[in-house]
Amino acid sequence: MSKKRVAVLISGRGTNLQALLDAEQEAYEIALVVSNVPGAEGLNRARAANVEGIVLDHKSYGQNREAFERDLDALLIQHNIEIVALAGFMRVLTPFFVRAWAGRLINIHPSLLPKFPGTKTHQRALEAGESEHGCTVHLVVEEVDAGEILGQAKMPVEPADTPETLATRVLILEHDLYPRCLADLARALRK
Ligand code: GRF
């Protein structure tokens, strides 16, 4: 069976991209990495793995989000991409892009959704006195961090935890969860 061709969209350090690259298996291959930020560390990871990395700088589109996304969409189609995985991609996507890739667009979020969508998830989990925290892989829909949940990983919150210690431990869970969920989706789309 042929592997599903995946594009990973990044904006920064790309540790989740690295986990997806390291775990590549029969179900999917990372065929393209796109960064909206020039010089993002994740681009070096793509290069090291011999994966094409492209910068599409949103700043050159001014306020026109959809023009940026139309070019992004064209790039993905040119590369025969079948699944798009957001991995620390710091742009909210418009309905145009989300609809175009519905069911084939996934994200990883550092909280147990539906708890704590948005930013500062670790701090908010601590402030809320949560006894458990973790991460979620979900389909992307128009509402931010609200699509169907494909997988979650949980861990206990310890009394001495800070936002930083939570971030470190959740990231370890992310690196295990994301490749598994991506492989599951790739297999499901193959049927
Ligand atoms: C991760 O915490 C992910 O959950 C969030 O952004 C962060 C990206 O980190 N969406 P990295 O660039 O993959 O290291």
Side-chain angles (χ1 to χ4, degrees):
M1 276 263 197
S2 68
K3 298 182 186 197
K4 285 284 167 192
R5 289 174 61 79
V6 176
V8 183
L9 308 190
I10 61 165
S11 302
R13 63 188 173 174
T15 66
N16 277 288
L17 164 64
Q18 189 68 58
L20 296 175
L21 287 166
D22 291 346
E24 259 186 87
Q25 43 188 295
E26 38 54 73
Y28 71 85
E29 66 177 302
I30 307 298
L32 179 67
V33 172
V34 181
S35 172
N36 68 314
V37 177
E41 199 186 326
L43 290 165
N44 299 331
R45 300 176 189 275
R47 201 170 304 121
N50 280 318
V51 172
E52 186 175 357
I54 294 177
V55 173
L56 195 62
D57 187 351
H58 66 275
K59 288 199 184 125
S60 42
Y61 295 83
Q63 296 302 310
N64 195 342
R65 279 179 187 270
E66 199 169 310
F68 166 76
E69 290 178 5
R70 287 198 182 272
D71 282 357
L72 176 58
D73 183 52
L75 201 59
L76 298 172
I77 291 167
Q78 260 167 34
H79 285 79
N80 299 314
I81 296 302
E82 298 168 287
I83 298 175
V84 178
L86 308 181
F89 183 67
M90 302 306 284
R91 302 288 296 164
V92 173
L93 295 163
T94 74
F96 158 71
F97 192 87
V98 173
R99 284 179 198 156
W101 290 90
R104 303 175 298 151
L105 176 59
I106 64 175
N107 182 41
I108 186 151
H109 181 76
S111 79
L112 295 172
L113 290 172
K115 289 184 175 173
F116 315 119
T119 59
K120 299 206 166 109
T121 56
H122 309 304
Q123 189 183 323
R124 286 158 63 208
L126 279 180
E127 283 167 5
E130 296 293 321
S131 59
E132 276 190 323
H133 189 43
C135 54
T136 304
V137 173
H138 62 95
L139 289 175
V140 176
V141 294
E142 289 173 35
E143 192 185 335
V144 174
D145 299 329
E148 181 190 333
I149 290 175
L150 302 180
Q152 288 188 314
K154 296 180 187 179
M155 62 182 207
V157 176
E158 309 292 349
D161 268 321
T162 64
E164 292 71 32
T165 61
L166 286 183
T168 303
R169 294 215 307 291
V170 168
L171 197 60
I172 294 167
L173 297 182
E174 292 184 32
H175 296 164
D176 175 61
L177 180 70
Y178 209 2
R180 287 194 283 116
C181 291
L182 177 58
D184 286 348
L185 178 67
R187 277 191 288 268
L189 290 176
R190 220 151 59 170
K191 285 176 189 145

